[in-house]
Amino acid sequence: MPELPDVECFRRYAKVSLGRRIGEVSINKNRVLRISESTLRSHLLGNKFTSAGRHGKYMFMRISDGYELVLHFGMTGYLSYGEEIPEHSVFSLEMAGKRLSFVCVRKLGKAEVIKDRDGYIKKKGLGPDALSVNRGEFVRRMRDKRGSIKGAFMDQGVMAGVGNIYSDEVFYQAGVHPKRETGKIEDLDGLYRMMIKVIKTAIKAGADPAKIPENYLLRRREEGAGCGICGGKIRKTRINGRGVYYCPKHQK
DNA sequence: TTATATGTTCTTGT
DNA sequence: TACAAGAACATATA
């Protein structure tokens, strides 16, 4: 689930916690938390978050002590703000009676505290954020990629934020076959514009599948489903080990 | 029971 | 060597 639009919605959601003093830190230490419990506690306890940022699928919460809490949600992570500590919570921060919790069911997420965001992004080898990259930069970075366009979109080093679900969506909306060789795509401009449009639409819908437009592929990711664009039938294939859905009738 | 799943990262192969 | 593809990772669900 958590690709760029989802993480952007988490970021906005987390704004309720800005400026509130963290009164209690509850931790369930596991592989998701990459730093010691005492380090996390020393950065958070008694301090507050001053801003919430995002780069690709990574979220950065600036702490009043000058450091940043980095969250990555893996495949099944999310934030929860409420009275209770949810099951599978990695840590939960109490603020004025409510709790902001980082929940990670399949433990493929990451949480750590860093000093230098740009350095961290560089160390991770992330490309520019998919929503901030401009058209020229996008084309330049795509142009000399080998392999399928699907692989290029999923490569976080080319640009960060687009994953399996939303790359499928861009190709579906743009009528491009996901196995097309990147270098042989003549209309990279069109693909860029569609990517921005799809991401913005998803964010506006709160990244909630029920609020995503009905004719989106997201609403019909199953073999044999009716295409919402041309009346074809949705097919499933495999690219780079991932399940890819597309409509063979209008995606060329 | 086995296969599959949105994520990254490490390993393998070209 | 560089880069693309595949496997591994943890756990829930069909």
Side-chain angles (χ1 to χ4, degrees):
Chain A
M1 198 235 281
E3 298 183 29
L4 191 155
D6 310 274
V7 179
E8 176 61 20
C9 292
F10 294 154
R11 186 185 74 80
R12 295 178 184 189
Y13 182 71
K15 282 185 169 181
V16 294
S17 70
L18 299 186
R20 295 184 194 272
R21 187 173 175 280
I22 298 167
E24 190 193 309
V25 180
S26 314
I27 304 173
N28 282 313
K29 177 75 171 135
N30 57 41
R31 69 197 309 281
V32 175
L33 186 62
R34 302 301 172 98
I35 53 177
S36 71
E37 292 183 49
S38 58
T39 303
L40 182 68
R41 195 166 274 119
S42 71
H43 281 293
L44 297 182
L45 194 60
N47 290 327
K48 41 185 99 162
F49 294 120
T50 58
S51 66
R54 183 191 56 72
H55 185 100
K57 303 169 190 168
Y58 289 80
M59 182 165 149
F60 299 87
M61 298 198 71
R62 191 169 290 282
I63 310 164
S64 49
D65 71 352
Y67 285 76
E68 290 202 274
L69 175 65
V70 187
L71 300 179
H72 189 283
F73 297 88
M75 294 208 290
T76 56
Y78 63 95
L79 290 176
S80 150
Y81 184 70
E83 315 270 322
E84 305 291 322
I85 301 181
E87 202 179 348
H88 306 299
S89 159
V90 177
F91 59 77
S92 183
L93 313 175
E94 184 272 324
M95 307 169 188
K98 286 220 175 186
R99 303 174 161 282
L100 182 71
S101 306
F102 176 51
V103 187
C104 215
V105 180
R106 282 172 219 178
K107 298 185 173 57
L108 291 173
K110 274 194 289 278
E112 56 193 308
V113 171
I114 61 160
K115 183 79 187 165
D116 168 21
R117 189 194 302 195
D118 291 341
Y120 183 83
I121 289 168
K122 198 166 184 181
K123 195 180 78 192
K124 292 285 175 189
L126 299 177
D129 183 75
L131 195 52
S132 317
V133 66
N134 65 47
R135 189 173 48 82
E137 177 80 357
F138 171 88
V139 171
R140 211 171 311 127
R141 287 172 162 270
M142 281 290 162
R143 229 175 3 209
D144 44 30
K145 287 289 284 180
R146 291 188 270 123
S148 67
I149 186 69
K150 175 71 178 175
F153 260 67
M154 301 265 290
D155 185 343
Q156 301 298 298
V158 173
M159 64 182 173
V162 178
N164 198 30
I165 301 272
Y166 285 101
S167 56
D168 275 9
E169 192 66 57
V170 173
F171 306 142
Y172 178 80
Q173 297 295 334
V176 171
H177 196 292
K179 283 188 179 168
R180 280 271 293 282
E181 219 176 294
T182 306
K184 290 192 178 151
I185 291 183
E186 56 291 334
D187 191 15
L188 280 174
D189 275 23
L191 218 43
Y192 170 79
R193 278 192 292 271
M194 189 54 80
M195 172 179 83
I196 299 294
K197 188 177 164 194
V198 163
I199 293 174
K200 285 186 171 168
T201 302
I203 292 173
K204 207 170 281 178
D208 177 355
K211 295 189 185 133
I212 296 274
E214 213 280 318
N215 69 342
Y216 266 45
L217 176 65
L218 210 89
R219 301 286 298 266
R220 56 193 80 221
R221 286 177 72 83
E222 67 182 310
E223 190 125 34
C227 172
I229 289 179
C230 75
K233 286 246 185 294
I234 302 302
R235 281 241 295 268
K236 183 186 180 184
T237 184
R238 238 175 157 75
I239 303 175
N240 298 357
R242 311 242 78 114
V244 175
Y245 293 86
Y246 70 107
C247 170
K249 193 168 168 195
H250 83 270
Q251 290 180 254
K252 304 293 177 195

